[in-house]
């Protein structure tokens, strides 16, 4: 199972402003008048209801087998109203955004608007300096591969001290470079959201457009991702609201935190809102070569084995390769306070699974993690 990835400073933020009671346990099982599932659907339903029984308010699982797409929902999307989970509802895709960001950078490289061997200093002069950090030694490829050595800004308590604050990308990078790098660029690996904030800034410099405009022009509209968006980062309302009906996200005793935190603290490392079907459509197009030329596909999928929190997988440029009982899948996972999502797509696009649930309180629960791993294998392999 891929690593747990959340904004670890979120507890600091939420303690300051939220005291809502923890969500009540949601009822699991089929809804009234829902036909009894058989075969793969029955196995996936059992897995989803098991995760709800473990404590998740609600779970959505999308599966694909060639042309057959199925959706399984268990539990609720809103504990206040009891509204059931529904695959049409929006949620925060969080770090799945990194695959979008990497794709746009690689498209710009294919158009010779930039090179993966360009340095951060070339595009963002003076931004990554001090305390041993040196943007002239960090290439764009190293940003996307998570081998820059830069610290992650998200654990810093300032990031979430005021969850509604609008953060500029340069401010987030500034927090990261206050610390010495973890290693010389290219000599190690660490998961750092700082890398993808910098990548987003380079997209904007190279394209002359906002990152959101490039996501829409290059990916959202061409693929018909009608329910996928990148929030405008102009004010708190625009960057924390959902553009339509959404899954409510819960953070333990802090309750519903769905719109409590400005996504300006995530940006091109984790700001996209989407649905299970849109994420699956994007990854199917990406991994079957519809979005990138062959050279850039080789760059995307050139991986190295990594160990993050004791979990071993292969990481490429904003994508990961995960081993299952039936073979390998490509994808990325994401976590934002109240939301967790896992995406898996076979290289030929014929087999897919997307799993999302609406809580951040089960990340290190051993039983839940074991059941989640089984659910992922069931959804992708059965």
């Amino acid at each position: 199972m891929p690593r747990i990835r959340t904004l670890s400073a979120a507890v600091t933020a939420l303690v300051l402003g939220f005291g809502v009671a923890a969500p009540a346990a949601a009822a699991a099982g089929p809804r009234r008048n829902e036909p009894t599932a058989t075969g793969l659907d029955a196995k996936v339903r059992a897995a989803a209801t098991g995760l709800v029984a473990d404590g998740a308010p609600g779970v959505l699982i999308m599966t694909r087998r060639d042309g057959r797409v199925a959706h399984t929902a268990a539990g609720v999307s809103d504990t206040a109203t009891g509204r059931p989970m529904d695959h049409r509802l929006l949620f925060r895709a969080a770090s799945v955004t990194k695959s979008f960001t990497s794709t746009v950078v690689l498209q710009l490289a294919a158009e010779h608007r930039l090179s993966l061997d360009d340095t951060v200093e070339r595009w963002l002069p003076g931004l990554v300096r001090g305390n041993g950090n040196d943007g002239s030694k960090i290439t764009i490829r190293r940003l996307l591969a998570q081998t820059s050595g830069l610290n992650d800004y998200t654990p810093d308590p300032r990031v979430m001290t005021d969850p509604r604050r609008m953060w500029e990308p340069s401010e987030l990078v500034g927090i990261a470079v206050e610390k010495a790098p973890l290693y010389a660029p290219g000599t190690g690996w660490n998961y750092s959201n700082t890398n993808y904030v910098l990548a987003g800034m380079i997209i904007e410099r190279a394209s002359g457009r906002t990152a959101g405009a490039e996501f829409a022009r290059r990916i959202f509209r061409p693929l018909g991702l009608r329910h996928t968006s990148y929030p405008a980062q102009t004010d708190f309302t625009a960057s924390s609201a959902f553009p339509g009906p959404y899954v409510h996200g819960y953070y333990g005793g802090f309750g519903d935190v769905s719109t409590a935190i400005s996504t300006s603290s995530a940006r091109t490392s984790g700001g996209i809102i989407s649905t299970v079907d849109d994420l699956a459509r994007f990854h199917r197009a990406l991994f079957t070569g519809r979005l990138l030329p062959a050279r850039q596909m080789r760059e995307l999928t050139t991986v190295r084995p990594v160990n993050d929190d004791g979990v071993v997988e292969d990481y490429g440029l904003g994508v990961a390769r995960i081993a299952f009982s039936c073979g390998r899948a490509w994808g990325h996972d994401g976590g934002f306070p109240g939301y967790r999502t896992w995406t898996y797509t076979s290289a030929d696009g014929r087999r897919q699974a997307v799993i999302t649930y609406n809580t951040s309180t089960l990340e290190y629960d051993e039983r839940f993690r074991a059941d989640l791993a089984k659910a992922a294998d069931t959804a992708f392999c059965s």
Side-chain angles (χ1 to χ4, degrees):
M1 184 177 69
R3 69 193 62 79
I4 296 295
R5 232 177 258 137
T6 59
L7 292 175
S8 60
V11 173
T12 303
L14 297 172
V15 165
L16 295 179
F18 304 96
V20 184
R31 297 192 291 273
R32 183 177 297 177
N33 298 324
E34 192 171 86
T36 301
T38 59
L40 170 64
D41 294 342
K43 293 177 182 179
V44 174
R45 178 168 299 287
T49 55
L51 294 176
V52 171
D54 286 345
V59 175
L60 285 172
I61 303 179
M62 172 269 181
T63 59
R64 171 185 289 277
R65 296 294 184 272
D66 292 320
R68 184 181 186 276
V69 174
H71 304 94
T72 298
V76 298
S77 65
D78 184 347
T79 61
T81 65
R83 180 175 183 173
M85 287 291 263
D86 188 311
H87 70 274
R88 294 165 293 187
L89 295 175
L90 304 171
F91 56 85
R92 301 200 186 281
S95 281
V96 180
T97 301
K98 289 179 174 65
S99 299
F100 289 82
T101 300
S102 181
T103 298
V104 172
V105 171
L106 288 165
Q107 288 179 342
L108 290 168
E111 297 163 7
H112 306 289
R113 307 283 291 276
L114 56 77
S115 167
L116 295 187
D117 295 318
D118 289 345
T119 64
V120 172
E121 180 68 17
R122 173 179 176 179
W123 286 100
L124 305 169
L127 183 60
V128 179
R129 286 183 186 173
N131 302 307
N133 298 284
D134 186 351
S136 69
K137 297 180 180 178
I138 300 172
T139 63
I140 296 174
R141 182 183 285 104
R142 287 171 176 168
L143 293 179
L144 300 182
Q146 304 278 21
T147 61
S148 71
L150 293 172
N151 283 272
D152 188 4
Y153 63 84
T154 59
D156 192 287
R158 287 170 294 178
V159 175
M160 289 293 180
T161 295
D162 179 2
R164 292 176 171 81
R165 172 176 170 169
M166 293 303 303
W167 286 92
E168 293 297 328
S170 59
E171 294 177 307
L172 300 173
V173 175
I175 289 174
V177 300
E178 289 176 359
K179 296 181 179 179
L182 299 175
Y183 48 82
T187 65
W189 187 93
N190 69 292
Y191 190 86
S192 176
N193 290 287
T194 309
N195 293 323
Y196 276 78
V197 169
L198 286 165
M201 297 175 75
I202 291 172
I203 286 172
E204 296 187 341
R205 288 288 179 90
S207 68
R209 301 180 181 89
T210 66
E214 289 297 273
F215 284 151
R217 186 172 75 91
R218 294 172 176 273
I219 301 176
F220 300 168
R221 287 198 293 270
L223 294 183
L225 307 185
R226 295 185 298 109
H227 306 293
T228 302
S229 61
Y230 180 75
Q233 304 292 345
T234 54
D235 57 31
F236 166 67
T237 300
S239 69
S240 65
F242 286 85
Y246 60 92
V247 174
H248 289 245
Y250 299 92
Y251 203 148
F254 306 112
D256 188 340
V257 296
S258 309
T259 59
I261 301 168
S262 169
T263 54
S264 66
S265 61
R267 295 192 175 265
T268 48
S269 72
I272 281 178
I273 290 170
S274 193
T275 63
V276 290
D277 285 333
D278 273 12
L279 291 183
R281 181 178 294 185
F282 163 62
H283 277 137
R284 192 168 188 235
L286 177 60
F287 295 120
T288 57
R290 289 177 54 195
L291 294 176
L292 296 173
R295 179 180 178 183
Q296 281 67 42
M297 280 298 295
R298 288 192 296 272
E299 294 277 10
L300 179 81
T301 56
T302 296
V303 298
R304 61 182 288 163
V306 302
N307 189 315
D308 190 19
D309 286 339
V311 178
V312 176
E313 68 181 18
D314 299 323
Y315 202 85
L317 301 188
V319 299
R321 188 173 64 186
I322 306 100
F324 282 110
S325 63
C326 60
R328 291 170 169 171
W330 290 94
H332 207 288
D333 62 291
F336 195 85
Y339 299 91
R340 291 298 280 123
T341 299
W342 313 81
T343 66
Y344 310 106
T345 297
S346 61
D348 60 9
R350 297 174 63 182
R351 185 181 292 263
Q352 288 188 289
V354 178
I355 302 174
T356 191
Y357 51 91
N358 53 345
T359 180
S360 297
T361 57
L362 298 169
E363 303 300 79
Y364 296 103
D365 181 285
E366 291 186 6
R367 176 178 176 179
F368 182 83
R369 292 188 68 166
D371 287 346
L372 178 61
K374 292 176 184 177
D377 196 82
T378 297
F380 186 73
C381 290
S382 291

